[in-house]
């Protein structure tokens, strides 16, 4: 299916209300996407499960464009993505090298950065017959990136990939590069959060971040604060509809995310309303411990 740059606009238009784009934003996006010299996006995958890419790939619409991956490839200059690009081997690396020389690209990182064993547990590619570690690739490419987008909790702070005992020494991108990163957490990240962030960067908008690098527009209230079960009686056992899940370990009171309002799977549902306690996957300390909430509560 041939998809044009206009289709990214259409996707943003479909999601405009839910991802907070107004008519002026859509008009400016149209101008940006019409520019053949628009920003280049390099998407790297490190220590992760690829769930963030799958989450984005599953961003389905009932009308064309159906698949956000096609849209991103055809409408945004996404030059490197391990699962989506047609190129492989040296020719794929050459494309990254060219983008690096030009600079000014958006570097999207999915997955944490293994640092133990000099980073040799993760090799994204080889150059001149030498393995390049993911750590080297992230360090090099971060130098000339206009913006660094961390897709998912692993890239943001380590996440599941950095869970103890963490033998490969996985860290988040900011911890490795020292650079400011725009963190779009979630395990996986919500596709609309990713689309929102890419659209903001294409528009040249400044994204206000909280102290953990998360966009304040998306991450400003606890899950608990927005949960429809907040006043409900507490469940003592699993599988009972409409009861609060705090006694069963719900992390909603300590987790900042808009899942109860934004919903998942094309608006089908979200964790607590499927009777599954929030596991706190957008939190810097996920999966084992959590920071105290910095959002409003009660
Ligand atoms: Fe991590 Fe992405 Fe969790 Fe997986 O790849 S945020 S392990 S669901 O999805 O990086
Ligand atoms: Fe809060 Fe979780 Fe209870 Fe919802 S289910 S009200 S998020 S503790």
């Amino acid at each position: 299916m041939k998809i044009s740059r206009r289709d990214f606009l259409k996707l943003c238009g479909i999601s405009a209300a839910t991802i907070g784009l107004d008519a002026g934003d859509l008009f400016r996006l149209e101008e940006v996407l019409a520019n053949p010299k628009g920003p280049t996006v390099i998407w790297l995958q490190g220590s992760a499960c690829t769930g963030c890419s799958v989450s984005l790939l599953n961003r389905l619409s009932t009308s064309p464009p159906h698949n956000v991956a096609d849209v991103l490839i055809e409408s945004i200059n996404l030059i490197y993505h391990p699962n989506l690009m047609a190129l492989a081997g040296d020719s794929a690396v050459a494309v990254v090298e060219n983008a690096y020389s030009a600079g000014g690209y958006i570097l999207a990182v999915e997955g944490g950065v293994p640092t133990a064993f000099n980073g040799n547990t993760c090799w994204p590619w080889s150059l001149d017959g030498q393995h390049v570690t993911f750590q080297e690739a992230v360090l090099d490419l971060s130098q000339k990136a206009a913006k660094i987008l961390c897709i998912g909790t692993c890239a943001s702070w380590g996440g599941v990939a950095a869970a103890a005992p963490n033998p490969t020494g996985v860290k988040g991108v900011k911890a490795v590069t020292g650079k400011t990163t725009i963190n779009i957490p979630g395990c996986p990240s919500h596709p609309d959060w990713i689309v929102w962030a890419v659209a903001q960067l294409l528009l040249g908008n400044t994204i206000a971040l909280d102290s953990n690098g998360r966009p304040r527009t998306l991450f400003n209230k606890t899950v608990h604060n927005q949960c429809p079960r907040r006043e409900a009686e507490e469940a003592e056992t699993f599988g009972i509809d409409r009861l609060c899940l705090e006694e069963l370990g719900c992390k909603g009171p300590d987790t900042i995310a808009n899942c109860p309002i934004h919903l998942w799977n094309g608006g089908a549902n979200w964790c607590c309303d499927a009777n599954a306690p929030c596991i706190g996957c957008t939190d810097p300390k996920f999966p084992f411990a959590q920071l105290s909430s910095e959002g409003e509560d009660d």
Side-chain angles (χ1 to χ4, degrees):
M1 178 167 58
K2 177 67 186 161
I3 296 194
S4 71
R5 282 166 188 267
R6 285 198 159 271
D7 289 326
F8 180 71
L9 268 176
K10 200 188 276 180
L11 178 81
C12 291
I14 292 166
S15 311
T18 50
I19 65 175
L21 296 175
D22 62 23
D25 289 331
L26 290 173
F27 180 73
R28 282 199 294 135
L29 256 183
E30 189 165 12
E31 290 181 331
V32 171
L33 293 172
N35 180 355
K37 292 186 179 162
T40 296
V41 180
I42 301 171
W43 184 302
L44 303 180
Q45 282 173 340
S47 200
C49 74
T50 318
C52 297
S53 282
V54 173
S55 176
L56 189 60
L57 290 163
N58 280 342
R59 173 63 172 83
L60 300 177
S61 163
T62 50
S63 61
H66 295 290
N67 187 319
V68 77
D70 289 341
V71 172
L72 288 176
I73 291 167
E74 298 295 335
S75 62
I76 290 177
N77 200 13
L78 180 67
I79 59 158
Y80 187 93
H81 187 297
N83 307 125
L84 303 179
M85 63 191 176
L87 295 175
D90 289 348
S91 42
V93 179
V95 168
V96 175
E97 292 280 295
N98 287 342
Y100 176 76
S101 300
Y105 43 82
I106 295 169
L107 179 63
V109 183
E110 174 183 5
V113 186
T115 62
F117 312 105
N118 290 323
N120 279 300
T121 59
C122 188
W123 296 328
W125 58 68
S126 301
L127 197 58
D128 301 327
Q130 296 290 315
H131 292 304
V132 174
T133 69
F134 188 66
Q135 184 177 12
E136 288 168 332
V138 169
L139 278 169
D140 285 350
L141 288 167
S142 66
Q143 297 304 319
K144 293 170 82 173
K147 296 287 177 193
I148 305 172
L149 212 48
C150 288
I151 310 288
T153 299
C154 301
S156 300
W157 310 294
V160 170
N166 194 8
T168 56
V170 169
K171 296 180 179 174
V173 173
K174 183 178 181 183
V176 169
T177 63
K179 303 272 188 193
T180 298
T181 59
I182 299 164
N183 296 334
I184 313 294
C187 193
S189 189
H190 194 298
D192 285 351
W193 300 341
I194 301 170
V195 171
W196 176 89
V198 171
Q200 297 304 316
L201 294 180
L202 291 177
L203 287 166
N205 291 342
T206 300
I207 299 178
L209 303 175
D210 71 11
S211 58
N212 290 308
R214 297 172 293 200
R216 286 192 180 278
T217 302
L218 301 177
F219 298 90
N220 51 43
K221 289 192 177 85
T222 62
V223 168
H224 177 74
N225 184 266
Q226 305 161 87
C227 181
R229 299 186 177 199
R230 218 171 77 196
E231 306 296 332
E233 188 186 327
E234 296 212 356
E236 292 176 0
T237 184
F238 287 97
I240 302 174
D241 289 340
R242 289 184 285 280
L243 298 185
C244 172
L245 305 170
E246 189 160 14
E247 281 294 306
L248 300 177
C250 184
K251 299 287 189 190
D254 295 319
T255 304
I256 298 174
N258 62 14
C259 306
I261 306 298
H262 205 78
L263 307 178
W264 285 74
N265 298 327
N269 208 347
W270 68 289
C271 296
C272 292
D273 266 346
N275 288 334
C278 170
I279 59 171
C281 76
T282 59
D283 191 89
K285 294 294 181 191
F286 179 77
F288 289 135
Q290 292 187 274
L291 295 176
S292 60
S293 159
E294 60 178 58
E296 58 189 272
D297 210 343
D298 299 318

mmCIF file with all atom_site columns, all heavy atoms in Angstrom, residues 190 192 261-270:
data_model
loop_
_atom_site.group_PDB
_atom_site.id
_atom_site.type_symbol
_atom_site.label_atom_id
_atom_site.label_alt_id
_atom_site.label_comp_id
_atom_site.label_asym_id
_atom_site.label_entity_id
_atom_site.label_seq_id
_atom_site.pdbx_PDB_ins_code
_atom_site.Cartn_x
_atom_site.Cartn_y
_atom_site.Cartn_z
_atom_site.occupancy
_atom_site.B_iso_or_equiv
_atom_site.pdbx_formal_charge
_atom_site.auth_seq_id
_atom_site.auth_comp_id
_atom_site.auth_asym_id
_atom_site.auth_atom_id
_atom_site.pdbx_PDB_model_num
ATOM 1   N N   . HIS A 1 190 ? 2.650   3.691  25.150 1.00 0.00 ? 190 HIS A N   1
ATOM 2   C CA  . HIS A 1 190 ? 1.387   3.795  24.399 1.00 0.00 ? 190 HIS A CA  1
ATOM 3   C C   . HIS A 1 190 ? 1.675   4.390  23.011 1.00 0.00 ? 190 HIS A C   1
ATOM 4   O O   . HIS A 1 190 ? 2.386   5.390  22.911 1.00 0.00 ? 190 HIS A O   1
ATOM 5   C CB  . HIS A 1 190 ? 0.421   4.687  25.164 1.00 0.00 ? 190 HIS A CB  1
ATOM 6   C CG  . HIS A 1 190 ? -0.992  4.616  24.680 1.00 0.00 ? 190 HIS A CG  1
ATOM 7   N ND1 . HIS A 1 190 ? -1.356  4.984  23.410 1.00 0.00 ? 190 HIS A ND1 1
ATOM 8   C CD2 . HIS A 1 190 ? -2.130  4.217  25.304 1.00 0.00 ? 190 HIS A CD2 1
ATOM 9   C CE1 . HIS A 1 190 ? -2.658  4.814  23.268 1.00 0.00 ? 190 HIS A CE1 1
ATOM 10  N NE2 . HIS A 1 190 ? -3.152  4.349  24.401 1.00 0.00 ? 190 HIS A NE2 1
ATOM 11  N N   . ASP A 1 192 ? -0.021  6.228  21.045 1.00 0.00 ? 192 ASP A N   1
ATOM 12  C CA  . ASP A 1 192 ? -0.412  7.636  20.890 1.00 0.00 ? 192 ASP A CA  1
ATOM 13  C C   . ASP A 1 192 ? 0.560   8.574  21.599 1.00 0.00 ? 192 ASP A C   1
ATOM 14  O O   . ASP A 1 192 ? 0.753   9.713  21.180 1.00 0.00 ? 192 ASP A O   1
ATOM 15  C CB  . ASP A 1 192 ? -1.833  7.876  21.414 1.00 0.00 ? 192 ASP A CB  1
ATOM 16  C CG  . ASP A 1 192 ? -2.886  7.327  20.465 1.00 0.00 ? 192 ASP A CG  1
ATOM 17  O OD1 . ASP A 1 192 ? -2.516  6.933  19.339 1.00 0.00 ? 192 ASP A OD1 1
ATOM 18  O OD2 . ASP A 1 192 ? -4.067  7.275  20.849 1.00 0.00 ? 192 ASP A OD2 1
ATOM 19  N N   . ILE A 1 261 ? -7.877  7.517  31.261 1.00 0.00 ? 261 ILE A N   1
ATOM 20  C CA  . ILE A 1 261 ? -8.570  8.457  30.376 1.00 0.00 ? 261 ILE A CA  1
ATOM 21  C C   . ILE A 1 261 ? -8.309  8.085  28.924 1.00 0.00 ? 261 ILE A C   1
ATOM 22  O O   . ILE A 1 261 ? -9.210  8.084  28.093 1.00 0.00 ? 261 ILE A O   1
ATOM 23  C CB  . ILE A 1 261 ? -8.054  9.907  30.617 1.00 0.00 ? 261 ILE A CB  1
ATOM 24  C CG1 . ILE A 1 261 ? -8.168  10.277 32.101 1.00 0.00 ? 261 ILE A CG1 1
ATOM 25  C CG2 . ILE A 1 261 ? -8.772  10.897 29.713 1.00 0.00 ? 261 ILE A CG2 1
ATOM 26  C CD1 . ILE A 1 261 ? -9.573  10.273 32.636 1.00 0.00 ? 261 ILE A CD1 1
ATOM 27  N N   . HIS A 1 262 ? -7.064  7.761  28.629 1.00 0.00 ? 262 HIS A N   1
ATOM 28  C CA  . HIS A 1 262 ? -6.680  7.559  27.230 1.00 0.00 ? 262 HIS A CA  1
ATOM 29  C C   . HIS A 1 262 ? -7.001  6.142  26.742 1.00 0.00 ? 262 HIS A C   1
ATOM 30  O O   . HIS A 1 262 ? -7.268  5.930  25.567 1.00 0.00 ? 262 HIS A O   1
ATOM 31  C CB  . HIS A 1 262 ? -5.186  7.857  27.054 1.00 0.00 ? 262 HIS A CB  1
ATOM 32  C CG  . HIS A 1 262 ? -4.838  8.251  25.677 1.00 0.00 ? 262 HIS A CG  1
ATOM 33  N ND1 . HIS A 1 262 ? -5.084  9.505  25.182 1.00 0.00 ? 262 HIS A ND1 1
ATOM 34  C CD2 . HIS A 1 262 ? -4.316  7.543  24.668 1.00 0.00 ? 262 HIS A CD2 1
ATOM 35  C CE1 . HIS A 1 262 ? -4.712  9.554  23.927 1.00 0.00 ? 262 HIS A CE1 1
ATOM 36  N NE2 . HIS A 1 262 ? -4.249  8.377  23.580 1.00 0.00 ? 262 HIS A NE2 1
ATOM 37  N N   . LEU A 1 263 ? -6.955  5.189  27.618 1.00 0.00 ? 263 LEU A N   1
ATOM 38  C CA  . LEU A 1 263 ? -7.241  3.774  27.311 1.00 0.00 ? 263 LEU A CA  1
ATOM 39  C C   . LEU A 1 263 ? -6.216  3.182  26.327 1.00 0.00 ? 263 LEU A C   1
ATOM 40  O O   . LEU A 1 263 ? -5.416  3.916  25.760 1.00 0.00 ? 263 LEU A O   1
ATOM 41  C CB  . LEU A 1 263 ? -8.660  3.593  26.780 1.00 0.00 ? 263 LEU A CB  1
ATOM 42  C CG  . LEU A 1 263 ? -9.774  4.186  27.654 1.00 0.00 ? 263 LEU A CG  1
ATOM 43  C CD1 . LEU A 1 263 ? -11.138 3.972  26.994 1.00 0.00 ? 263 LEU A CD1 1
ATOM 44  C CD2 . LEU A 1 263 ? -9.755  3.596  29.049 1.00 0.00 ? 263 LEU A CD2 1
ATOM 45  N N   . TRP A 1 264 ? -6.267  1.878  26.162 1.00 0.00 ? 264 TRP A N   1
ATOM 46  C CA  . TRP A 1 264 ? -5.319  1.140  25.320 1.00 0.00 ? 264 TRP A CA  1
ATOM 47  C C   . TRP A 1 264 ? -6.055  0.340  24.250 1.00 0.00 ? 264 TRP A C   1
ATOM 48  O O   . TRP A 1 264 ? -7.269  0.211  24.296 1.00 0.00 ? 264 TRP A O   1
ATOM 49  C CB  . TRP A 1 264 ? -4.485  0.180  26.201 1.00 0.00 ? 264 TRP A CB  1
ATOM 50  C CG  . TRP A 1 264 ? -3.437  0.900  27.001 1.00 0.00 ? 264 TRP A CG  1
ATOM 51  C CD1 . TRP A 1 264 ? -3.644  1.675  28.112 1.00 0.00 ? 264 TRP A CD1 1
ATOM 52  C CD2 . TRP A 1 264 ? -2.041  0.946  26.741 1.00 0.00 ? 264 TRP A CD2 1
ATOM 53  N NE1 . TRP A 1 264 ? -2.455  2.197  28.556 1.00 0.00 ? 264 TRP A NE1 1
ATOM 54  C CE2 . TRP A 1 264 ? -1.447  1.760  27.735 1.00 0.00 ? 264 TRP A CE2 1
ATOM 55  C CE3 . TRP A 1 264 ? -1.209  0.370  25.782 1.00 0.00 ? 264 TRP A CE3 1
ATOM 56  C CZ2 . TRP A 1 264 ? -0.073  2.014  27.785 1.00 0.00 ? 264 TRP A CZ2 1
ATOM 57  C CZ3 . TRP A 1 264 ? 0.157   0.619  25.829 1.00 0.00 ? 264 TRP A CZ3 1
ATOM 58  C CH2 . TRP A 1 264 ? 0.715   1.433  26.825 1.00 0.00 ? 264 TRP A CH2 1
ATOM 59  N N   . ASN A 1 265 ? -5.280  -0.219 23.340 1.00 0.00 ? 265 ASN A N   1
ATOM 60  C CA  . ASN A 1 265 ? -5.837  -1.070 22.283 1.00 0.00 ? 265 ASN A CA  1
ATOM 61  C C   . ASN A 1 265 ? -6.962  -0.369 21.543 1.00 0.00 ? 265 ASN A C   1
ATOM 62  O O   . ASN A 1 265 ? -8.080  -0.875 21.435 1.00 0.00 ? 265 ASN A O   1
ATOM 63  C CB  . ASN A 1 265 ? -6.312  -2.418 22.854 1.00 0.00 ? 265 ASN A CB  1
ATOM 64  C CG  . ASN A 1 265 ? -5.172  -3.201 23.457 1.00 0.00 ? 265 ASN A CG  1
ATOM 65  O OD1 . ASN A 1 265 ? -4.043  -3.118 22.978 1.00 0.00 ? 265 ASN A OD1 1
ATOM 66  N ND2 . ASN A 1 265 ? -5.436  -3.945 24.515 1.00 0.00 ? 265 ASN A ND2 1
ATOM 67  N N   . GLY A 1 266 ? -6.635  0.824  21.055 1.00 0.00 ? 266 GLY A N   1
ATOM 68  C CA  . GLY A 1 266 ? -7.615  1.580  20.285 1.00 0.00 ? 266 GLY A CA  1
ATOM 69  C C   . GLY A 1 266 ? -8.811  2.015  21.115 1.00 0.00 ? 266 GLY A C   1
ATOM 70  O O   . GLY A 1 266 ? -9.911  2.158  20.586 1.00 0.00 ? 266 GLY A O   1
ATOM 71  N N   . GLY A 1 267 ? -8.593  2.233  22.414 1.00 0.00 ? 267 GLY A N   1
ATOM 72  C CA  . GLY A 1 267 ? -9.686  2.707  23.273 1.00 0.00 ? 267 GLY A CA  1
ATOM 73  C C   . GLY A 1 267 ? -10.518 1.585  23.849 1.00 0.00 ? 267 GLY A C   1
ATOM 74  O O   . GLY A 1 267 ? -11.572 1.826  24.444 1.00 0.00 ? 267 GLY A O   1
ATOM 75  N N   . ALA A 1 268 ? -10.040 0.338  23.724 1.00 0.00 ? 268 ALA A N   1
ATOM 76  C CA  . ALA A 1 268 ? -10.840 -0.803 24.190 1.00 0.00 ? 268 ALA A CA  1
ATOM 77  C C   . ALA A 1 268 ? -10.939 -0.857 25.715 1.00 0.00 ? 268 ALA A C   1
ATOM 78  O O   . ALA A 1 268 ? -12.013 -1.080 26.272 1.00 0.00 ? 268 ALA A O   1
ATOM 79  C CB  . ALA A 1 268 ? -10.261 -2.108 23.659 1.00 0.00 ? 268 ALA A CB  1
ATOM 80  N N   . ASN A 1 269 ? -9.818  -0.637 26.408 1.00 0.00 ? 269 ASN A N   1
ATOM 81  C CA  . ASN A 1 269 ? -9.831  -0.841 27.851 1.00 0.00 ? 269 ASN A CA  1
ATOM 82  C C   . ASN A 1 269 ? -8.491  -0.424 28.422 1.00 0.00 ? 269 ASN A C   1
ATOM 83  O O   . ASN A 1 269 ? -7.605  0.044  27.696 1.00 0.00 ? 269 ASN A O   1
ATOM 84  C CB  . ASN A 1 269 ? -10.117 -2.311 28.180 1.00 0.00 ? 269 ASN A CB  1
ATOM 85  C CG  . ASN A 1 269 ? -10.789 -2.488 29.535 1.00 0.00 ? 269 ASN A CG  1
ATOM 86  O OD1 . ASN A 1 269 ? -10.832 -1.568 30.337 1.00 0.00 ? 269 ASN A OD1 1
ATOM 87  N ND2 . ASN A 1 269 ? -11.317 -3.672 29.784 1.00 0.00 ? 269 ASN A ND2 1
ATOM 88  N N   . TRP A 1 270 ? -8.304  -0.603 29.705 1.00 0.00 ? 270 TRP A N   1
ATOM 89  C CA  . TRP A 1 270 ? -7.003  -0.384 30.336 1.00 0.00 ? 270 TRP A CA  1
ATOM 90  C C   . TRP A 1 270 ? -6.883  -1.355 31.507 1.00 0.00 ? 270 TRP A C   1
ATOM 91  O O   . TRP A 1 270 ? -7.848  -2.036 31.847 1.00 0.00 ? 270 TRP A O   1
ATOM 92  C CB  . TRP A 1 270 ? -6.821  1.068  30.773 1.00 0.00 ? 270 TRP A CB  1
ATOM 93  C CG  . TRP A 1 270 ? -7.698  1.524  31.901 1.00 0.00 ? 270 TRP A CG  1
ATOM 94  C CD1 . TRP A 1 270 ? -9.052  1.746  31.855 1.00 0.00 ? 270 TRP A CD1 1
ATOM 95  C CD2 . TRP A 1 270 ? -7.299  1.800  33.246 1.00 0.00 ? 270 TRP A CD2 1
ATOM 96  N NE1 . TRP A 1 270 ? -9.506  2.140  33.080 1.00 0.00 ? 270 TRP A NE1 1
ATOM 97  C CE2 . TRP A 1 270 ? -8.452  2.198  33.960 1.00 0.00 ? 270 TRP A CE2 1
ATOM 98  C CE3 . TRP A 1 270 ? -6.074  1.780  33.912 1.00 0.00 ? 270 TRP A CE3 1
ATOM 99  C CZ2 . TRP A 1 270 ? -8.410  2.549  35.311 1.00 0.00 ? 270 TRP A CZ2 1
ATOM 100 C CZ3 . TRP A 1 270 ? -6.027  2.145  35.255 1.00 0.00 ? 270 TRP A CZ3 1
ATOM 101 C CH2 . TRP A 1 270 ? -7.193  2.526  35.937 1.00 0.00 ? 270 TRP A CH2 1
#
